[in-house]
Amino acid sequence: MRYTSAPEPDPATVEAVGKLTEALETVEVARGHLYAFHRLTGTADFTLDEAIDLLRHAGHGDLAERLETELLGRNVLPGRWTYQVVEDYEDTYYDVFRAFERQSRELTGGRRHLHEAELKRNRRTNGLRGHEAYPDEPVA
């Protein structure tokens, strides 16, 4: 997003909103790990199903039966499969966190990543290819 004509918020506000955004970025990573947990656990359950079939065909019906009844499709937490863990996390924590971070941008005129934008202004080489301020900035 390009800078607008809205007045620049004070540095303390930019820092505070930036820190809240940084915290949300960490929550996004945690959510990604929950999805990985969900996918990996589901993959393990389907692979377990294959192992049960192989054990049964190899003559180990008792173990196959116990695995099928006691482990296959088992809850990962009381009353919950992994998709329910993900849903509870999103409904209870993630969505609330995102809403507060979005609300905090009212303090910056709706602009995002102002702290990073300031870093970019200070660290880039003006006029050099690969250091453009925005995607369609002409290069001298």
Side-chain angles (χ1 to χ4, degrees):
M1 168 182 261
R2 292 189 196 180
Y3 286 94
T4 67
S5 60
E8 289 294 318
D10 63 279
T13 299
V14 170
E15 181 181 12
V17 172
K19 191 56 74 171
L20 182 57
T21 299
E22 181 182 346
L24 175 61
E25 290 169 358
T26 302
V27 167
E28 292 285 2
V29 172
R31 181 174 176 252
H33 286 294
L34 268 181
Y35 271 92
F37 163 71
H38 165 62
R39 296 289 309 262
L40 290 169
T41 302
T43 299
D45 196 61
F46 282 105
T47 304
L48 172 62
D49 201 12
E50 293 175 28
I52 291 167
D53 286 343
L54 292 170
L55 285 166
R56 194 170 276 125
H57 284 92
H60 306 287
D62 290 344
L63 178 57
E65 183 64 29
R66 286 195 57 221
L67 286 167
E68 187 172 54
T69 58
E70 295 178 36
L71 185 56
L72 187 70
R74 186 180 181 95
N75 291 328
V76 296
L77 292 172
R80 287 180 175 79
W81 271 21
T82 57
Y83 78 90
Q84 293 167 305
V85 173
V86 170
E87 287 177 354
D88 286 351
Y89 179 82
E90 288 178 340
D91 294 345
T92 304
Y93 188 74
Y94 175 75
D95 290 344
V96 174
F97 208 118
R98 282 192 54 177
F100 274 115
E101 193 275 339
R102 202 174 302 116
Q103 180 183 352
S104 77
R105 282 189 253 130
E106 293 173 10
L107 304 172
T108 63
R111 293 171 293 170
R112 298 177 288 172
H113 296 103
L114 287 183
H115 178 70
E116 289 89 340
E118 182 64 25
L119 287 173
K120 182 174 184 176
R121 268 196 304 268
N122 292 332
R123 296 173 67 91
R124 73 185 194 92
T125 303
N126 194 21
L128 184 65
R129 184 172 305 283
H131 289 252
E132 297 84 5
Y134 47 89
D136 57 352
E137 178 184 53
V139 178

